Amino acid sequence: MEKIGLIAGEALPGLPWQPRTKGHKDVVWRYSGNPVIGRNPIKNVSRIFNSSVLPFEGGYIGVFRGEQRDGIPHIYLGRSKDGIGWDFEPERIRLADTVGCEVYPKYSYDPRLVKIDGTYYFMWCTDYHGATIGLARTTDFKRFESLENPFLPFNRNAVLFPRKINGNYMMLSRPSDSGHTPFGDVFLSESPDLVYWGRHKHVLAPTGNWWESVKVGGGAVPIETSAGWLLFYHGVTGTCNGFVYSIGCAILDTDRPWIVRHRCKNFLLTPEMDYEERGFVPNVCFPCAALVDAQTGHIAIYYGAADSCVALAFACLDELIAYIKDNDIAAGAGSAK
Amino acid sequence: MEKIGLIAGEALPGLPWQPRTKGHKDVVWRYSGNPVIGRNPIKNVSRIFNSSVLPFEGGYIGVFRGEQRDGIPHIYLGRSKDGIGWDFEPERIRLADTVGCEVYPKYSYDPRLVKIDGTYYFMWCTDYHGATIGLARTTDFKRFESLENPFLPFNRNAVLFPRKINGNYMMLSRPSDSGHTPFGDVFLSESPDLVYWGRHKHVLAPTGNWWESVKVGGGAVPIETSAGWLLFYHGVTGTCNGFVYSIGCAILDTDRPWIVRHRCKNFLLTPEMDYEERGFVPNVCFPCAALVDAQTGHIAIYYGAADSCVALAFACLDELIAYIKDNDIAAGAGSAK
């Protein structure tokens, strides 16, 4: 098996990890203690799911979609020593704009967290006369500065790359409609300054493989490897009783990340477990973060399950890349470029 | 009646014009020779409509939505001495990108033409994995340079302002869905360079007035007056047999054009005539250009009728602004800012 190098990855000796049990054959496997965040984790928050975490000060920190008892999602801060047990702040994150005025999104959901040049950024689905992308930054997780919305409505599932490429910030997103959107492709947009965005390029379309035939959306912040940017994403199929969300994976070109170098024809994980198949939205595995230990190549994938809880899955970098290449639907095949 | 000044407007002594007939009471009235462009105006083009014109070299020039006999719309160039009789080039406009490679949009419709600092720009609805905004420029109407698409899909009805404001280009647009879009608000976006766009702001929403209760979209390039930017737009209502498009008008703040200073509660023109009520899409009056003679304040409005032809209507600047103010739904009332 080819040895895949991590680019700029850091050693994370404390990364959540559990070896594949004997006889298990899949390239991605679940944590036996799932879900790691169950129901009613905070007073007046009934469910946490579709959330994103990063290493921080020797432990972990995360931005979490907290579905409040009024039914409205907002973003809550959580801290963890081991990435498995989480302590949450009792109140949602408060945002201020660049001149210090408080900002009150009507709702905030599906955040992704990324560190770029020492600053932490998170993007989420916010409302501005329709669902679109919110963007904020912090250096200390105490003050959170809300930046300009990168895009017009309607948009969801934004994922910022962890470094500039060719001098520009790069963000994946999935243009939507005003409802539950029975379509969806992933695009990439560039920005010199995180204020103005352009040079939009198409990246991923749904494919003829049924598990991702309806829509696809960016998931975890991409991991830079010697093979390219490893992107966990969600692929959606339709049934007579609604959508089913699975986890897929693609490898994007390092310097031109709108080019799909490899794309796995099979899902890596699909709803099978009780906590994935039943809940507020049954049949959802929705990846929002993937951490990797540069020393071992161990990957921990955080995914929302059934819009009700957070679960963990694991993979090994070399094995995963080899699996994607072995099951490659050919470079760019999923995209009608 | 308050005398309204035109800012940076030029004298257009040859502007199409026909005085209001005696007894006619409306603030906008139709040209008696309508439609000015009828069916089958070019070989293999069955209909021209939703098109935009400007003064050019002592006459007029325009970019026209030509619905070809294969059913696909593309943009055709037309020239006119008097703004009423038009000669069209037999082939559609050919675009090349910034490095000279030919660009072939799958379709191109509803263009708007604007002159900024001596260069002519036009925007249209193009396809990039979904309907979005195309942008091109020319100085001579012989070579046309295609620029980056300003926005992600799905978007339509882009209108660029005729000058920079606060150092930035300003573009109105109407985010859409992937179909016939049963909703639609007008937003404004800014760009320092016509490549990267941001600082998106909401401008106009549909109102409780039934003629514009479903969606609204930018129409003609705004006219700068001492009262603010005069914007002709389309407002849409829904019936059991489809949409009805009328012409509305608003006045936007000069320096902060996302602020609606005045908005007329009544339509200015709604389908009534044979050429507006019947055609490929019945019941459409769709404004895409408005020219004004700085000397007289005469306004000529070019609008697409029933997706089948181009028609002309007239107004006087002072009268029109007074009418809008008299029938104002109060500043910002249409927008849920």
Side-chain angles (χ1 to χ4, degrees):
Chain A
M1 192 183 304
E2 190 187 353
K3 181 72 191 159
I4 300 300
L6 266 187
I7 312 295
E10 56 185 315
L12 292 176
L15 188 73
W17 183 252
Q18 190 175 53
R20 183 194 270 115
T21 52
K22 210 173 168 182
H24 194 294
K25 293 196 184 76
D26 293 338
V27 72
V28 169
W29 61 96
R30 293 171 179 83
Y31 176 51
S32 65
N34 275 346
V36 292
I37 302 168
R39 299 277 184 138
N40 302 300
I42 310 173
K43 188 178 176 187
N44 289 327
V45 173
S46 58
R47 299 179 301 277
I48 276 181
F49 54 98
N50 300 4
S51 301
S52 186
V53 308
L54 276 182
F56 184 68
E57 293 182 349
Y60 295 89
I61 202 157
V63 286
F64 293 84
R65 171 174 175 164
E67 208 94 332
Q68 304 173 157
R69 289 199 169 211
D70 58 6
I72 297 171
H74 280 290
I75 301 175
Y76 287 76
L77 196 69
R79 294 166 196 271
S80 174
K81 282 185 184 152
D82 59 7
I84 293 174
W86 289 87
D87 294 316
F88 297 102
E89 295 198 355
E91 298 295 333
R92 64 185 173 90
I93 285 175
R94 300 288 167 174
L95 298 168
D97 65 16
T98 50
V99 292
C101 295
E102 270 209 76
V103 172
Y104 297 97
K106 272 162 68 179
Y107 53 74
S108 303
Y109 63 82
D110 296 355
R112 274 78 165 188
L113 183 63
V114 61
K115 185 180 180 184
I116 308 176
D117 295 335
T119 297
Y120 296 86
Y121 296 88
F122 57 99
M123 313 107 252
W124 69 96
C125 182
T126 195
D127 176 75
Y128 183 67
H129 304 273
T132 189
I133 305 305
L135 176 62
R137 68 180 161 205
T138 185
T139 51
D140 56 9
F141 289 97
K142 289 170 188 156
R143 285 175 314 158
F144 300 89
E145 186 185 31
S146 178
L147 307 177
E148 289 283 340
N149 294 340
F151 310 123
L152 289 164
F154 300 84
N155 206 315
R156 299 184 180 109
N157 294 304
V159 180
L160 195 56
F161 280 67
R163 69 166 172 87
K164 289 185 180 181
I165 299 173
N166 308 319
N168 275 350
Y169 296 94
M170 300 270 171
M171 190 185 279
L172 301 173
S173 73
R174 200 209 66 192
S176 306
D177 67 11
S178 58
H180 288 294
T181 316
F183 60 82
D185 293 17
V186 177
F187 289 73
L188 184 135
S189 305
E190 303 186 23
S191 173
D193 52 14
L194 294 173
V195 176
Y196 301 103
W197 295 84
R199 300 191 186 282
H200 312 288
K201 302 213 176 49
H202 185 262
V203 183
L204 292 173
T207 69
N209 298 315
W210 285 18
W211 68 272
E212 57 169 358
S213 59
V214 170
K215 55 182 171 177
V216 291
V221 169
I223 296 168
E224 189 168 11
T225 77
S226 54
W229 293 99
L230 181 67
L231 173 69
F232 293 95
Y233 66 90
H234 63 261
V236 181
T237 190
T239 77
C240 58
N241 284 339
F243 291 150
V244 177
Y245 284 71
S246 304
I247 301 178
C249 213
I251 299 171
L252 310 179
D253 186 80
T254 300
D255 298 319
R256 293 178 296 169
W258 54 90
I259 296 174
V260 180
R261 287 284 166 219
H262 307 281
R263 183 171 178 178
C264 189
K265 78 184 174 80
N266 302 326
F267 58 75
L268 301 180
L269 203 79
T270 199
E272 291 177 5
M273 306 299 281
D274 178 74
Y275 54 89
E276 295 162 345
E277 292 194 320
R278 55 171 280 243
F280 186 70
V281 180
N283 289 320
V284 177
C285 293
F286 194 93
C288 288
L291 304 183
V292 57
D293 171 22
Q295 245 165 355
T296 57
H298 292 171
I299 300 175
I301 305 160
Y302 287 82
Y303 65 101
D307 281 21
S308 299
C309 58
V310 173
L312 258 175
F314 304 111
C316 290
L317 183 63
D318 295 354
E319 265 183 35
L320 180 61
I321 303 256
Y323 180 81
I324 295 167
K325 289 184 177 177
D326 284 348
N327 294 279
D328 196 352
I329 53 172
S335 162
K337 272 192 282 281
Chain B
M1 193 183 304
E2 190 187 353
K3 181 73 190 157
I4 300 300
L6 267 187
I7 312 296
E10 57 186 313
L12 292 176
L15 187 73
W17 183 252
Q18 190 175 54
R20 184 194 271 113
T21 52
K22 210 172 168 182
H24 193 293
K25 294 196 184 76
D26 294 338
V27 71
V28 169
W29 62 97
R30 293 172 179 83
Y31 176 52
S32 65
N34 275 346
V36 293
I37 303 168
R39 300 276 184 138
N40 301 300
I42 310 174
K43 189 179 176 186
N44 289 326
V45 171
S46 58
R47 299 179 301 277
I48 277 182
F49 54 98
N50 301 3
S51 301
S52 187
V53 307
L54 276 182
F56 184 66
E57 293 182 349
Y60 295 90
I61 201 157
V63 286
F64 294 84
R65 171 175 176 164
E67 208 94 333
Q68 304 173 156
R69 290 200 168 209
D70 59 6
I72 298 171
H74 281 290
I75 301 174
Y76 287 75
L77 195 69
R79 293 166 197 272
S80 174
K81 283 185 185 154
D82 59 6
I84 293 174
W86 289 88
D87 294 317
F88 298 103
E89 296 199 353
E91 298 294 334
R92 63 184 173 89
I93 285 175
R94 301 288 167 173
L95 298 169
D97 65 16
T98 51
V99 293
C101 295
E102 271 208 75
V103 173
Y104 297 97
K106 273 163 67 180
Y107 53 75
S108 303
Y109 63 81
D110 296 356
R112 274 79 165 187
L113 182 64
V114 62
K115 185 179 180 184
I116 308 177
D117 295 335
T119 297
Y120 296 86
Y121 296 88
F122 57 99
M123 314 105 253
W124 69 96
C125 182
T126 195
D127 176 76
Y128 183 68
H129 304 272
T132 189
I133 305 305
L135 176 63
R137 69 180 160 204
T138 185
T139 51
D140 56 8
F141 289 98
K142 289 170 187 156
R143 285 175 314 159
F144 300 90
E145 186 184 32
S146 178
L147 307 177
E148 289 283 341
N149 294 340
F151 310 124
L152 289 164
F154 300 85
N155 207 314
R156 299 184 180 109
N157 295 305
V159 180
L160 196 56
F161 280 66
R163 68 166 172 88
K164 288 185 180 180
I165 299 173
N166 307 320
N168 275 350
Y169 295 95
M170 300 269 170
M171 190 185 278
L172 301 173
S173 73
R174 199 208 67 192
S176 306
D177 67 11
S178 58
H180 289 294
T181 316
F183 59 83
D185 293 18
V186 177
F187 290 73
L188 185 136
S189 305
E190 303 186 23
S191 173
D193 52 14
L194 294 173
V195 176
Y196 301 103
W197 295 84
R199 300 192 186 281
H200 312 288
K201 302 212 176 52
H202 186 262
V203 183
L204 292 173
T207 69
N209 298 315
W210 286 17
W211 68 273
E212 57 169 357
S213 59
V214 171
K215 55 182 171 177
V216 290
V221 169
I223 296 168
E224 189 168 10
T225 77
S226 54
W229 293 99
L230 181 66
L231 173 69
F232 293 95
Y233 65 90
H234 63 262
V236 181
T237 190
T239 78
C240 57
N241 283 340
F243 291 149
V244 177
Y245 285 70
S246 305
I247 301 178
C249 214
I251 299 171
L252 311 179
D253 186 80
T254 301
D255 299 318
R256 293 179 295 170
W258 54 90
I259 296 174
V260 180
R261 287 285 166 217
H262 307 282
R263 183 171 179 179
C264 188
K265 78 184 173 78
N266 302 326
F267 58 74
L268 301 181
L269 203 79
T270 198
E272 290 177 6
M273 305 299 282
D274 178 75
Y275 53 88
E276 296 163 345
E277 292 194 321
R278 55 171 280 243
F280 187 71
V281 180
N283 290 320
V284 177
C285 293
F286 194 91
C288 288
L291 303 183
V292 58
D293 171 22
Q295 245 166 355
T296 57
H298 292 171
I299 299 175
I301 305 160
Y302 288 82
Y303 65 101
D307 281 22
S308 299
C309 58
V310 172
L312 259 174
F314 303 111
C316 290
L317 183 63
D318 294 355
E319 265 184 35
L320 180 62
I321 302 255
Y323 180 81
I324 294 167
K325 289 183 177 177
D326 284 348
N327 293 280
D328 196 353
I329 53 172
S335 162
K337 272 192 282 285

